[in-house]
Amino acid sequence: MENLKKTKFKSAALNVLYPLIAAGIIVAVWAIAAAAEGNQLVLPSPGGVIKKFFTLGGEAGFWLSVLASLLRTLICFITSFVLALLFASLGGICNPVHRVLSPIVTFFRAAPTVAVILIMYAFLNSSIMAVVVGFLIAFPVMYAAFYSAVTGVDKDLIEMADVYKVSPLNKVKSIYLPSIASCLFDTSKATLSLTFKVIIASEILTNVTTSIGGKIQVAYASFEISYLLAWTLIAIVFSFVLEGIVMLLKKVWEVRK
């Protein structure tokens, strides 16, 4: 038992240590590059950007902009998740559904994100467009992962459930859900942060005022590099927060299971 506790503690310590080392390397390279450039207007030092980062919270409209981008991300993610899981399940049960959807999914996965944003900008309101573009990026990724998970469920367990006349609802609860849960969480973690980045990119290109992307666009237009980098750090931090929430939900699921 004591050895198990030591192993868990060591694992937890390493999970904290390695990201800190990586962050230290990034900051060191950044500091060296800033010192070599010697111009704070072109490339500010890490210290200046971090100072600006901690003052953004008191800026008027900060939380409104952050919450607006997060809300668009969550709307896009939840819609993509539900529809991807629904169609992946239908595709797993009925192969023609998958054969029809597969070329569509491949098309959207191959389409350049910027091109999709610019095309949608001609037809939709900027705020709505950001959500639509995010969906077109997130849905194909989630559908492909969920379809593989659904079709990878142990066929012997399904046949056994059929023999014992297990109800469809109990099949889902006792066989399908436990089998695909890990994939659902892992895919959600990666896709949620991807969706957040796509939403912000859409906001930047279409100049959505109340958003993280809008703030980055303003900083770029006024050539305030430290302000731009500080808002970029905000986006990175909230991306990690979103991933952390998904991983926490996964831990809760594993404990309750």
Side-chain angles (χ1 to χ4, degrees):
M1 180 64 71
E2 188 176 343
N3 288 335
L4 180 61
K5 287 182 178 179
K6 287 182 179 179
T7 302
K8 287 184 176 180
F9 177 79
K10 182 179 178 181
S11 177
L14 290 176
N15 287 339
V16 174
L17 179 62
Y18 288 136
L20 288 176
I21 292 173
I25 293 171
I26 292 171
V27 171
V29 171
W30 179 0
I32 293 169
E37 177 61 37
N39 187 339
Q40 291 292 308
L41 293 176
V42 176
L43 184 59
S45 66
V49 173
I50 292 172
K51 182 179 178 181
K52 175 71 76 173
F53 171 85
F54 284 108
T55 61
L56 285 180
E59 184 181 284
F62 170 82
W63 287 108
L64 188 59
S65 296
V66 170
L67 290 174
S69 292
L70 289 174
L71 180 59
R72 292 186 190 101
T73 300
L74 291 176
I75 291 171
C76 174
F77 172 77
I78 292 170
T79 305
S80 302
F81 181 94
V82 171
L83 291 179
L85 184 56
L86 173 63
F87 284 113
S89 300
L90 290 174
I93 296 169
C94 181
N95 188 252
V97 173
H98 173 66
R99 295 183 69 177
V100 170
L101 284 174
S102 186
I104 299 172
V105 168
T106 302
F107 173 78
F108 283 123
R109 289 183 71 177
T113 303
V114 175
V116 172
I117 292 172
L118 294 176
I119 292 169
M120 290 293 172
Y121 187 47
F123 301 99
L124 299 172
N125 172 276
S126 298
S127 297
I128 297 173
M129 188 216 67
V131 176
V132 173
V133 171
F135 172 81
L136 294 177
I137 300 301
F139 174 79
V141 174
M142 299 179 88
Y143 173 82
F146 294 170
Y147 176 78
S148 296
V150 169
T151 54
V153 174
D154 192 334
K155 298 296 187 295
D156 291 336
L157 288 176
I158 298 172
E159 289 177 4
M160 187 181 296
D162 290 336
V163 169
Y164 287 99
K165 295 182 171 50
V166 176
S167 69
L169 181 59
N170 283 331
K171 278 186 190 177
V172 171
K173 289 171 59 179
S174 303
I175 300 176
Y176 281 97
L177 196 53
S179 298
I180 68 173
S182 181
C183 173
L184 295 183
F185 283 114
D186 292 342
T187 303
S188 294
K189 175 189 171 185
T191 309
L192 185 53
S193 58
L194 171 64
T195 303
F196 189 49
K197 287 186 282 188
V198 170
I199 293 287
I200 292 174
S202 300
E203 293 169 345
I204 292 171
L205 289 175
T206 57
N207 199 20
V208 180
T209 307
T210 306
S211 66
I212 293 176
K215 294 295 185 182
I216 292 175
Q217 173 62 25
V218 168
Y220 174 77
S222 57
F223 202 68
E224 295 183 56
I225 305 302
S226 61
Y227 189 65
L228 187 153
L229 290 174
W231 271 104
T232 302
L233 284 178
I234 291 292
I236 292 170
V237 167
F238 278 97
S239 181
F240 279 124
V241 169
L242 291 173
E243 289 189 5
I245 291 171
V246 175
M247 294 312 296
L248 179 61
L249 291 174
K250 183 179 180 181
K251 292 289 185 184
V252 172
W253 164 265
E254 290 174 345
V255 169
R256 293 186 63 182
K257 186 177 66 172

